[in-house]
């Protein structure tokens, strides 16, 4: 293969990874791109390339091999490309090779340079920032049970505050936007305020959540949690949540259930092969990741929440220094160390290669090379537990032996080569996972309401409270039939299908007591239409609990049907609202 590039040399062997039928096609000898990075980048990249190669060689006995293609960004690029930190040919090759990995980069200050990471994200449309966070035995952590943390955070990368729509106080642009907001939109805020705009779209939200759900399916995960601040920012964060549920229902309806269904229809028992879609308000999520981290698995969230959450959760497992990450488009993926260039340690062969190493593990998993990835994740804790660590861990672990970056890599490679019973370790891991899932299930079965509260669930729309299992009768059915259905299903009301005018109706136990029993009528011969109440008042699924409470008080009705996309999807009653407020407290307002 010849190279048409100025400095990039395609390896003479290997084939490019491609995409066919919306699936990655990875040959046995793929060409994978890498950027060495600045500062400590060369030290950690050199070490990691050796470890990844050793794991692949061991896992596949030489049948598979990566052909690395060096590409250039940052200072090394500037030296080669006459001061250009972000050459077009690098972006083109990263796109063409589909999968690549990069070390940290210095962003030149001033001089009108775009941040290199921002340039990469924008030019390759890498809309999902993915951060897996789990604990490795032996790694120092500030919490008691870091082993309970095992989440993968999908953070939206292109919208929200990252859209960068801001107007500085005192500028004519700011004055113009402020005037429009105050005069035309009747918004109220202090004069001279800086103004930022937070766009969150259906397209952007859905493509992120879609990716998170697909990841959960591909990796046998238990749940996807949408983390948002929708109780305050209804049309951005709240909309993210709604669109998330929508994409789950519309595109993954066969393999997902909501948390309401888990507790309602399935009484807390998670059906085999189904992923639970739930949501949490951002502030509660921070608490929950400290108190009950094992309840969370895959997380999908808008940009700013994800920014805070990724670092906070990584810190729980002692891993800001070893936390891996990736920025991913529909298929093109750039895996990266999440720390910076730590210039004071450059070329000292001193720092921890963990962040880049585990980004490479993510990359191998992304390529479907799980055996090689597992080899690294299994030997890593063994080496660290033996006290063989770089300076950063050595200063936190009593009696540890501080080694250089390359010596740490040697220790891992030796362990990889030393024969490890991958199958036995995987089996043990799987058994542990099943055991923990079972324990959570038992808690849900035994104490459903307490579990909902303890795991941070807060209902905030009528859809969260409603009875979903809709039982309906027709106008011409007998009241007796309706009574049997109510008793059989343990419900106090039943929805009556639309009459000739298209009006839905309702029949309640109370209607039956007052109109049949007290009226001395025979339920076997009385038709449902003779005693049902019509018309029925409907509310949209996204109506807040407070709005529903207002409507119930104002309208003299004690129940509403809940509508979504023109369809009745459930019933919500004043009892539901009462019980929710009693159990969960009043969560509809700002804390
Ligand atoms: P930094 O490079 O991450 O370094 C901060 C501190 O974190 C280091 O002094 C060191 O702590 C520790 N650290 C970082 N990497 C480590 C490793 N591999 N092993 C052990 N310890 C490690 O952050 P910064 O100093 O704020 O940023 C420096 C440059 O990096 C800036 O130019 C910034 O723009 C750039 N940056 C790039 C990226 C990226 O490319 N993704 C991300 C962030 C920052 P101790 O001093 O305690 O030993």
């Amino acid at each position: 293969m010849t190279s048409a590039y100025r400095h990039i040399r395609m390896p003479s062997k290997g084939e490019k990874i491609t995409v066919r039928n919306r699936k990655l096609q990875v040959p046995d000898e793929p060409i994978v791109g890498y950027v060495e990075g600045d500062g400590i980048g060369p030290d950690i990249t050199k070490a990691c390339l050796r470890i990844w190669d050793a794991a692949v060689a061991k896992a596949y006995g030489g049948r598979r091999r990566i052909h690395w293609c060096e590409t250039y960004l940052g200072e090394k690029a500037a030296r080669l490309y006459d001061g250009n930190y972000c050459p077009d040919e690098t972006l083109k090759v990263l796109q063409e090779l589909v999968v690549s990995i990069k070390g940290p980069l210095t962003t030149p200050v001033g001089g009108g340079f775009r941040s290199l990471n921002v340039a990469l994200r924008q030019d390759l449309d890498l809309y999902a920032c993915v951060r897996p966070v789990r604990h490795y035995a032996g790694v120092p952590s500030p919490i008691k049970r870091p082993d309970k943390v095992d989440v993968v955070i999908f953070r939206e990368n292109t919208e929200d505050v990252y859209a960068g729509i801001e107007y500085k106080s005192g500028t004519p642009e700011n004055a113009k936007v402020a005037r429009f907001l105050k005069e035309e939109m009747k918004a109220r805020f202090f004069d001279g305020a800086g103004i930022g705009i937070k766009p969150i779209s259906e397209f952007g939200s859905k493509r992120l959540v879609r990716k998170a759900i697909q990841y959960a399916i591909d990796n046998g995960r238990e749940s996807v949690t949408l983390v948002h601040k929708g109780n305050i920012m209804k049309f951005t964060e709240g909309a993210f949540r709604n669109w998330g549920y929508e994409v789950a229902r519309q595109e993954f309806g066969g393999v997902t259930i909501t948390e309401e269904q888990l507790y309602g229809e399935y009484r807390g028992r998670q059906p085999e092969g189904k992923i639970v879609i739930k949501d949490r308000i951002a502030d509660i999520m921070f608490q929950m990741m400290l108190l009950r981290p094992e309840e969370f698995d895959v997380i999908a969230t808008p940009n700013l929440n994800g920014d805070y959450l990724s670092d906070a959760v990584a810190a729980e497992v002692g891993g800001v220094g070893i936390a891996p990450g990736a920025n991913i488009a529909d298929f093109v993926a750039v895996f990266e160390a999440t720390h910076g260039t730590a210039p004071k340690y450059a070329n000292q062969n001193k720092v921890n290669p963990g962040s880049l190493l585990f980004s490479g593990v993510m990359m191998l998993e992304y390529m479907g090379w799980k055996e090689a990835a597992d080899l690294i994740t299994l030997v890593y804790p063994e080496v660290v537990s033996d006290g063989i660590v770089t300076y950063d861990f050595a200063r936190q672990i009593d009696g540890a032996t501080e080694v250089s970056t390359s010596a740490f890599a040697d220790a891992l490679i030796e362990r990889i080569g030393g024969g490890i019973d991958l199958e036995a370790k995987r089996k043990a891991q799987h058994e542990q996972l099943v055991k923990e899932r079972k324990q959570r299930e038992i808690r849900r079965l035994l104490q459903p309401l307490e579990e909902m509260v303890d795991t941070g669930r807060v209902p905030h729309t009528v859809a969260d409270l409603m009875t979903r299992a809709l039982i309906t009768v027709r106008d011409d059915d007998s009241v007796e039939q309706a009574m049997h259905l109510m008793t059989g299903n343990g419900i106090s009301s039943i929805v009556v299908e639309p009459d000739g005018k298209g009006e839905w109706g309702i029949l309640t136990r109370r209607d039956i007591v007052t109109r049949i029993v007290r009226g001395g009528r025979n339920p076997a011969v009385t038709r449902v239409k003779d005693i049902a109440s019509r018309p029925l008042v409907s509310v949209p699924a996204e109506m807040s609990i407070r709005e529903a409470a207002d409507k119930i008080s104002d309208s003299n009705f004690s129940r509403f049907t809940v509508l979504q996309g023109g369809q009745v999807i459930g019933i919500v009653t004043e009892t539901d609202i009462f019980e929710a407020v009693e159990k969960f407290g009043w969560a509809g307002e700002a804390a």
Side-chain angles (χ1 to χ4, degrees), residues 40 104-106 117 337 339-342 344-345 351-352 391-392 395:
I40 54 174
L105 296 168
T106 309
N117 294 318
H339 54 69
T341 57
K344 66 181 177 188
Y345 296 124
V351 296
N352 192 338
Y391 84 95
D392 51 326
R395 67 190 174 190

Side-chain angles (χ1 to χ4, degrees), residues 345-404:
Y345 296 124
N347 303 318
Q348 292 177 30
N349 189 21
K350 182 177 171 77
V351 296
N352 192 338
S355 176
L356 190 65
L357 179 66
F358 288 114
S359 303
V361 167
M362 277 176 86
M363 182 183 80
L364 292 168
E365 285 170 350
Y366 188 74
M367 289 162 53
W369 291 15
K370 194 153 174 18
E371 298 77 10
D374 284 354
L375 266 181
I376 299 174
T377 49
L378 289 172
V379 299
Y380 180 87
E382 293 188 1
V383 173
V384 174
S385 299
D386 282 354
I388 301 171
V389 290
T390 44
Y391 84 95
D392 51 326
F393 283 2
R395 67 190 174 190
Q396 299 177 68
I397 305 174
D398 286 340
T401 310
E402 179 183 332
V403 297
S404 65

Side-chain angles (χ1 to χ4, degrees), residues 156 159-160 198-211 213 224 226 228 233-252 277-279 300 302 461 542 564:
E156 208 291 326
E159 297 197 300
D160 194 358
K198 174 188 174 78
I200 289 191
S201 70
E202 176 172 357
F203 172 74
S205 304
K206 283 191 168 174
R207 69 176 177 173
L208 179 88
V209 176
R210 183 179 298 122
K211 206 172 243 322
I213 297 177
V224 175
L226 309 169
H228 60 91
M233 293 171 273
K234 295 190 176 55
F235 307 126
T236 49
E237 302 259 336
F240 173 87
R241 165 190 179 274
N242 295 342
W243 286 318
Y245 278 116
E246 208 169 286
V247 85
R249 200 174 50 247
Q250 288 172 347
E251 298 178 27
F252 300 95
I277 310 292
K278 51 189 175 183
D279 74 282
T461 66
E542 62 276 10
Q564 191 164 54

Side-chain angles (χ1 to χ4, degrees), residues 434-481:
V434 170
K435 193 171 133 208
E436 286 167 9
R437 285 185 180 178
K438 202 83 221 152
Q439 283 167 349
R440 286 197 288 280
E441 186 162 285
I442 290 168
R443 284 204 304 259
R444 285 197 303 264
L445 288 166
L446 293 181
Q447 301 181 300
L449 275 180
E450 288 76 359
E451 272 306 288
M452 280 200 254
V453 178
D454 289 351
T455 61
R457 178 176 176 264
V458 179
H460 29 89
T461 66
V462 289
D464 296 336
L465 302 182
M466 69 185 184
T467 306
R468 219 169 246 275
L470 259 197
I471 313 273
T472 61
V473 284
R474 286 191 305 266
D475 262 353
D476 287 333
D477 289 338
S478 71
V479 171
E480 192 176 61
Q481 282 172 302

